[in-house]
Amino acid sequence: MREPLEQLSHEIGYQFSDWRLLERALTHRSAGSSNNERLEFLGDAILGFIIAEVLYKRFPLLDEGQLSRLRASLVKRESLAEIARQQRVGAYLSLGAGEQRSGGHSRTSILADAVEALLGAVYLDGGYDSARQVTIDLFVARLDALPPEGQDKDPKTRLQEYLQAQKLPLPTYTILGISGSQHDQRFRVACRVEGAELESSGEGSSRRRAEQASAVQLLRQFEGN
């Protein structure tokens, strides 16, 4: 197994001293008791800290809530699984027979856990600086794609701040209707500002998303005036 491990090590830009750590990081619990669950636990904490540190330094004007939203968007399971697919991590995983038959090599949860375990292994093998560099290398495209400082606010927040700046009342949101089945509902919501002759509506798969969509439409109307 050493040769494929060396290939993955090369792809992530880190040379392991203890190859057993890397092997364990790639071993799912279905393959045995010596698996990656503990490394996943460690890697999750390390990843969260490193991304928090990078965001804290990169965006000095953002508040705690904004930083937390950015971090959550970067370290969510889907993002980690996408990184795993880009690095072909699934090809190196050791899975039990059942997981192999059910497509475990491409399952989002397994891939995301493997990335966290991989970072935990790098940390134990090479220390914080090594883990930080590997993390930044893996996330560089996503970090560079983040919106400019202050532009990550959701539409409802932007609309509220705009209205406050214009000394207008805060908006009210009203559900106009709900359609679809119980498991595939569509919400339609109206957004209105008392005292302004403007009103908008939006649709979404949840009330919150419909409210966001209606806020976007009302912002566009204000900007067009």
Side-chain angles (χ1 to χ4, degrees):
M1 191 174 180
R2 175 68 179 272
E3 185 174 341
L5 290 183
E6 288 180 340
Q7 177 62 33
L8 178 58
S9 180
H10 174 74
E11 289 179 6
I12 67 172
Y14 178 77
Q15 186 76 12
F16 277 84
S17 298
D18 185 353
W19 292 95
R20 293 172 300 179
L21 281 170
L22 178 54
E23 185 174 352
R24 190 181 311 150
L26 299 169
T27 303
H28 187 256
R29 65 176 179 271
S30 62
S33 58
S34 180
N35 56 60
N36 64 6
E37 287 189 324
R38 284 171 53 83
L39 286 173
E40 173 202 338
F41 166 79
L42 180 62
D44 174 60
I46 293 167
L47 171 62
F49 178 80
I50 292 171
I51 293 299
E53 179 193 26
V54 171
L55 294 176
Y56 181 86
K57 292 179 178 178
R58 182 174 291 201
F59 299 109
L61 299 181
L62 296 189
D63 61 29
E64 178 189 5
Q66 293 169 313
L67 291 171
S68 294
R69 287 193 294 274
L70 284 181
R71 180 177 60 181
S73 71
L74 289 168
V75 304
K76 63 184 180 181
R77 177 172 290 184
E78 292 76 13
S79 298
L80 295 178
E82 186 176 341
I83 287 173
R85 294 185 181 102
Q86 291 170 346
Q87 301 297 323
R88 301 187 307 112
V89 171
Y92 303 98
L93 291 175
S94 294
L95 304 173
E99 287 292 351
Q100 291 186 41
R101 287 193 299 270
S102 63
H105 286 96
S106 59
R107 185 170 299 131
T108 295
S109 59
I110 291 178
L111 291 174
D113 291 346
V115 170
E116 291 178 338
L118 185 60
L119 294 176
V122 172
Y123 172 77
L124 290 179
D125 190 74
Y128 175 76
D129 289 341
S130 295
R132 187 179 189 278
Q133 188 58 57
V134 170
T135 300
I136 291 175
D137 289 345
L138 291 176
F139 281 84
V140 63
R142 287 164 177 77
L143 289 167
D144 290 344
L146 290 175
E149 192 162 47
Q151 294 186 19
D152 71 312
K153 296 178 181 177
D154 62 75
K156 289 180 66 176
T157 300
R158 296 204 309 270
L159 175 60
Q160 179 175 317
E161 291 181 351
Y162 174 86
L163 294 172
Q164 289 174 331
Q166 300 298 317
K167 301 188 183 307
L168 290 169
L170 295 181
T172 58
Y173 296 91
T174 306
I175 295 180
L176 299 177
I178 304 175
S179 60
S181 65
Q182 183 176 359
H183 301 292
D184 187 26
Q185 291 184 324
R186 296 290 298 176
F187 291 76
R188 184 170 181 79
V189 170
C191 180
R192 184 172 181 273
V193 176
E194 194 71 32
E197 300 302 321
L198 297 175
E199 184 173 333
S200 66
S201 64
E203 293 188 3
S205 57
S206 67
R207 177 174 178 171
R208 179 179 178 276
R209 291 182 178 179
E211 289 177 349
Q212 301 283 20
S214 64
V216 168
Q217 295 303 319
L218 199 60
L219 274 170
R220 290 173 178 170
Q221 291 185 48
F222 275 115
E223 291 168 353
N225 281 355

